[in-house]
Amino acid sequence: MKSTILATAGWAIAILVLCQGAVGQQKTPEKAPAANAATTKPTIAGLWQAESASVSPGERDEQTLSGSEQICNATVSEKQFTLRVGDEILAEMTYVLDTKKSPWTIDLKSKDGALLGICSRDGNTLKICANDAAKGRPAAFSNDAGLVLALKQFHPSALCVINADGSGLKRLLSRNDFTRLGSPDWSRDGRRIAFDGWKSLYGEEVAQVHLLTCNVDGSGFKDLGEGCMPSWSPDGRQLTFSAAGADQGVYLMNADGSNRRCIDPSGTDSEWSPKRNEIAYIVNEGGSAHLCIYDVATKQRRSLLEDRYPWIRSGMCWSPEGDWLALVGVGGRVEIAAVSARGEKAGFKVVLPSPASPKVGKINCTVSWGGSGKEILLSAQRKGDAEMLLYLLDVDGKRPPQRFNGYPATWGSADTAWSSDLKKVVFTASPP
């Protein structure tokens, strides 16, 4: 689609309406200062989504930049201010903010000229009014200014790690492009993490999710293309994953994203055994759910669980020794259950609800088996909880769920995975 060029006397800005095309690599914004109430100065750094945004170029009519088909957003570091519609850059500007004045003043410069403006921040909301330098700084907030932005702070997902005892919480990665992350999986050697994400701030939906990987310290980020819910092979050379749409099903590929091939077009939520060359996955069809095992060497499939639930949610996991699988089944009620890797006749038990915890409450679909080897970690909201919190479930159902120490009470739901040595947990959440 064509770009609309809006020009003031000394400033030009290209409004690039959302269009089909390749998305360039996005830079991670500069880190803001550590959050310390005693030392942190006022700032507008962060990711912002426009509730309203417009430009009034000269005597022409006002042009609206935000709407249902074109989402305007801003990435702001301590020195750089970048405006986008979707993933297309409108303008890249440096800025100087003076918070000692009332209202705050903001001076923006781009290769096309300069803007003089005022701004105010009230918690998670930010308002900016600016004019071309030739017209002078606005005296008050008004829709008559050349540039008017009403922004709300956007909290992207973060990939984090925490020790099993709740210590050492650390953010590994957060991006200004893939702003929604989920489904982490730790490679067996502990060196790489696979996860999925999509560009929600740019208007993408979950159906446009991509497979992503990085090193355990957050470096070495890679986009492996479309897909979701990745799981590493025991040797770390391959990944299994799910796809949606016309190419739906369970797939295998090399760890670099090459050599994709489908193993079952009816399956979803595949998880590689930590001990054997076998892949578990779910088939939900015709009101009946099946938990299946695929032998990668023989390409044979067998069923562990049939017709017990009308639906099995995505987000299941293997036990550390690969002899059980935990899942979330939906029938007359929502249950967290465990089934033997030899089939339900060899072993099946309901973990939650249990006599020790008869009320399930709200739960996330993703479960991960770890802790002492007899615990399942998941996000849940029990009576009295203001947010979703991380809980450890006793697989035998003898103890009520226990809070996972160290997880912030305000971070909400998280997708989790244990390291193979059970000493650390990687998770994705949206910290406020």
Side-chain angles (χ1 to χ4, degrees):
M1 300 179 67
K2 293 183 179 180
S3 300
T4 303
I5 306 297
L6 301 181
T8 60
W11 177 58
I13 181 169
I15 300 179
L16 305 175
V17 180
L18 277 175
C19 60
Q20 310 244 342
V23 178
Q25 178 66 33
Q26 304 298 329
K27 297 179 180 179
T28 303
E30 296 179 12
K31 293 183 180 180
N36 186 318
T39 60
T40 301
K41 64 180 181 179
T43 180
I44 61 172
L47 294 180
W48 302 86
Q49 185 167 341
E51 295 185 318
S52 65
S54 64
V55 168
S56 299
E59 301 301 322
R60 297 168 57 187
D61 293 335
E62 176 183 336
Q63 303 292 316
T64 299
L65 308 185
S66 60
S68 60
E69 295 182 357
Q70 49 176 13
I71 298 176
C72 183
N73 57 83
T75 302
V76 186
S77 69
E78 293 298 335
K79 296 180 180 180
Q80 191 82 12
F81 195 104
T82 303
L83 273 177
R84 292 183 179 88
V85 167
D87 62 356
E88 303 289 353
I89 294 177
L90 303 178
E92 291 184 296
M93 300 170 280
T94 60
Y95 75 93
V96 176
L97 182 70
D98 188 345
T99 60
K100 296 180 180 179
K101 295 183 179 179
S102 182
W104 296 353
T105 62
I106 184 168
D107 298 342
L108 302 116
K109 290 184 179 180
S110 74
K111 60 184 179 63
D112 298 304
L115 290 170
L116 301 179
I118 56 175
C119 73
S120 68
R121 178 173 184 175
D122 184 6
N124 288 329
T125 62
L126 176 68
K127 188 171 182 179
I128 295 175
C129 290
N131 280 326
D132 183 88
K135 291 187 175 181
R137 193 184 311 276
F141 292 99
S142 170
N143 291 333
D144 295 330
L147 175 68
V148 180
L149 298 174
L151 305 167
K152 185 171 184 178
Q153 191 162 29
F154 183 91
H155 300 293
S157 298
L159 183 70
C160 306
V161 67
I162 190 170
N163 294 328
D165 63 2
S167 65
L169 175 62
K170 181 181 180 181
R171 300 193 199 194
L172 300 179
L173 179 143
S174 184
R175 295 182 64 85
N176 64 0
D177 49 2
F178 289 97
T179 45
R180 284 291 172 256
L181 307 176
S183 309
D185 190 63
W186 215 311
S187 64
R188 305 300 181 259
D189 63 7
R191 296 180 180 180
R192 297 281 291 169
I193 298 168
F195 50 107
D196 57 31
W198 65 98
K199 301 174 181 179
S200 61
L201 192 60
Y202 296 169
E204 288 189 356
E205 303 291 340
V206 66
Q208 295 164 288
V209 64
H210 276 217
L211 298 159
L212 313 170
T213 63
C214 70
N215 296 325
V216 71
D217 62 357
S219 65
F221 174 86
K222 292 183 179 180
D223 177 1
L224 302 183
E226 294 182 353
C228 61
M229 295 180 287
S231 176
W232 294 94
S233 62
D235 62 8
R237 295 180 179 180
Q238 298 184 83
L239 288 163
T240 181
F241 66 96
S242 297
D247 297 325
Q248 69 180 9
V250 171
Y251 284 75
L252 299 180
M253 71 177 182
N254 296 337
D256 63 1
S258 63
N259 192 25
R260 293 182 172 220
R261 63 267 192 205
C262 182
I263 62 174
D264 193 333
S266 62
T268 187
D269 187 25
S270 53
E271 293 288 324
W272 219 307
S273 168
K275 300 295 184 179
R276 295 179 295 278
N277 203 19
E278 294 181 336
I279 296 171
Y281 62 90
I282 298 165
V283 176
N284 288 311
E285 55 185 7
S288 179
H290 300 261
L291 178 58
C292 305
I293 297 291
Y294 176 85
D295 188 304
V296 178
T298 66
K299 300 182 180 180
Q300 298 297 308
R301 163 181 147 174
R302 70 180 191 274
S303 182
L304 300 184
L305 190 67
E306 295 183 353
D307 303 326
R308 182 177 286 270
Y309 299 108
W311 189 267
I312 297 175
R313 292 183 182 177
S314 297
M316 66 174 178
C317 67
W318 289 88
S319 65
E321 294 303 318
D323 48 359
W324 288 82
L325 287 120
L327 55 88
V328 180
V330 181
R333 64 180 183 178
V334 176
E335 295 180 344
I336 297 176
V339 59
S340 169
R342 293 179 291 140
E344 63 178 315
K345 292 182 180 179
F348 177 87
K349 52 189 173 183
V350 175
V351 178
L352 197 70
S354 69
S357 186
K359 295 183 179 180
V360 177
K362 182 180 179 182
I363 62 172
N364 187 0
C365 59
T366 300
V367 294
S368 56
W369 197 316
S372 65
K374 295 183 178 181
E375 296 168 310
I376 293 172
L377 182 64
L378 86 161
S379 291
Q381 187 172 16
R382 305 180 71 199
K383 186 177 180 180
D385 293 342
E387 300 280 352
M388 298 276 278
L389 302 172
L390 281 184
Y391 283 95
L392 285 166
L393 307 182
D394 175 22
V395 172
D396 295 327
K398 296 178 181 179
R399 293 183 290 108
Q402 305 293 310
R403 280 281 305 276
F404 185 87
N405 292 329
Y407 186 78
T410 59
W411 281 27
S413 183
D415 287 354
T416 63
W418 292 83
S419 59
S420 58
D421 60 8
L422 303 183
K423 293 182 179 180
K424 295 179 180 293
V425 174
V426 63
F427 65 90
T428 56
S430 297

